Amino acid sequence: SLFGFQSDFCSLSHLVKLDLSKNRLQQLPLDFGRLVNLQHLDLLNNRLVTLPVSFAQLKNLKWLDLKDNPLDPVLAKVAGDCLDEKQCKQAAVKVLQHMRAIQSEQDRQRQQKLQAEREMEKKREAEQRAKEAQERELRKREKAEEKERRRREYDAQKAAKQEMEKKTKKETAQTRKSTSSSRPAQPPRHKPSWSRSVLRVLLLVLFCVLCTLAACKLTELQRQPLCVSVNTLYEDVVAALQNHKTLQNMLHQNSQ
């Protein structure tokens, strides 16, 4: 069976002529193009609809018969009837050209797909880089906002502390003020002066003595017994003072 050993079969690259007619083949191996030396190929009366793209690699193919196969309409039109040698040769040339065009189109589509995949990959990488940059910027902004929030909290706590200290000082001052104003005013205390009191008493006594002496000397009371005693005492005191002055003068002269 061809398909049971297709890998080994397609490795027979030395084949030049191959007759696979009337085998009810529904498809050829995908690597059928490895038979690069094949020149004559008979596929008459099988069940083929299409040919593998690798068929385009059979560059040495000179003769081809695809009659009595349910071929794709486009492929059937390209292959023709192959009723004689000339038509079978033309079929080989036209089918190879057709398959090469299909191969080129598939290669182009494959390249476009690869290019699209590369562009998509680049786009994904760009989006990923943009996303990472956005995340970094977001983290940076969040970090800055967190720092600013902490600074505001610190300033608020500092201001509240200062306000509390100011309020406490004000309340303390008001308390001291109210305490001092609630105390009754006390008159200044003067320390007692015994010398002043004694002086006042002596002056009072002297005043009384002078008044009594004046009354006894100048009024009619001088004949009264009390005034007589007072006058006598006054004269004795005056005499004593005079004697004391005389004694002082004598002592002063003696000392000189």
Side-chain angles (χ1 to χ4, degrees), residues 118-240:
R118 285 194 292 267
E119 291 179 356
M120 184 62 67
E121 183 65 24
K122 289 181 180 179
K123 185 178 180 181
R124 284 195 295 266
E125 291 177 356
E127 290 177 352
Q128 183 66 23
R129 288 194 296 269
K131 183 178 179 181
E132 292 175 355
Q134 187 176 5
E135 290 177 352
R136 287 195 299 269
E137 185 65 24
L138 180 61
R139 288 194 297 269
K140 184 178 179 180
R141 185 162 58 248
E142 289 177 350
K143 197 173 291 184
E145 290 176 354
E146 179 67 17
K147 185 177 180 181
E148 180 65 19
R149 184 183 65 80
R150 291 182 180 179
R151 187 188 64 80
R152 287 198 299 268
E153 288 180 355
Y154 174 77
D155 292 342
Q157 291 176 358
K158 186 177 180 181
K161 185 178 180 181
Q162 291 177 351
E163 185 67 23
M164 184 63 69
E165 291 177 353
K166 188 184 297 184
K167 185 177 180 181
T168 303
K169 289 181 180 180
K170 186 176 180 180
E171 290 177 353
T172 304
Q174 289 179 351
T175 304
R176 290 178 179 176
K177 185 176 180 180
S178 61
T179 303
S180 61
S181 61
S182 62
R183 292 179 181 176
Q186 296 181 358
R189 296 180 181 179
H190 297 287
K191 294 182 179 180
S193 178
W194 295 103
S195 59
R196 290 182 180 180
S197 299
V198 172
L199 181 60
R200 288 176 182 176
V201 171
L202 291 176
L203 290 175
L204 181 61
V205 171
L206 181 59
F207 179 73
C208 293
V209 171
L210 291 176
C211 290
T212 302
L213 185 60
C216 291
K217 284 290 186 180
L218 301 177
T219 64
E220 294 178 354
L221 296 175
Q222 58 184 346
R223 294 187 180 84
Q224 295 295 327
L226 179 60
C227 288
V228 172
S229 300
V230 170
N231 290 331
T232 302
L233 180 60
Y234 171 73
E235 291 176 356
D236 292 341
V237 170
V238 170

Side-chain angles (χ1 to χ4, degrees), residues 100-132:
R100 287 168 183 168
I102 293 176
Q103 186 181 43
S104 298
E105 180 63 20
Q106 289 186 354
D107 291 342
R108 186 183 65 82
Q109 292 178 357
R110 190 180 299 108
Q111 290 296 326
Q112 288 180 349
K113 184 178 179 181
L114 291 175
Q115 183 66 23
E117 290 177 353
R118 285 194 292 267
E119 291 179 356
M120 184 62 67
E121 183 65 24
K122 289 181 180 179
K123 185 178 180 181
R124 284 195 295 266
E125 291 177 356
E127 290 177 352
Q128 183 66 23
R129 288 194 296 269
K131 183 178 179 181
E132 292 175 355

Side-chain angles (χ1 to χ4, degrees), residues 86-100:
K86 182 178 181 180
Q87 288 182 352
C88 292
K89 289 182 178 180
Q90 290 178 350
V93 173
K94 290 181 179 180
V95 169
L96 282 177
Q97 291 177 351
H98 176 70
M99 297 308 298
R100 287 168 183 168

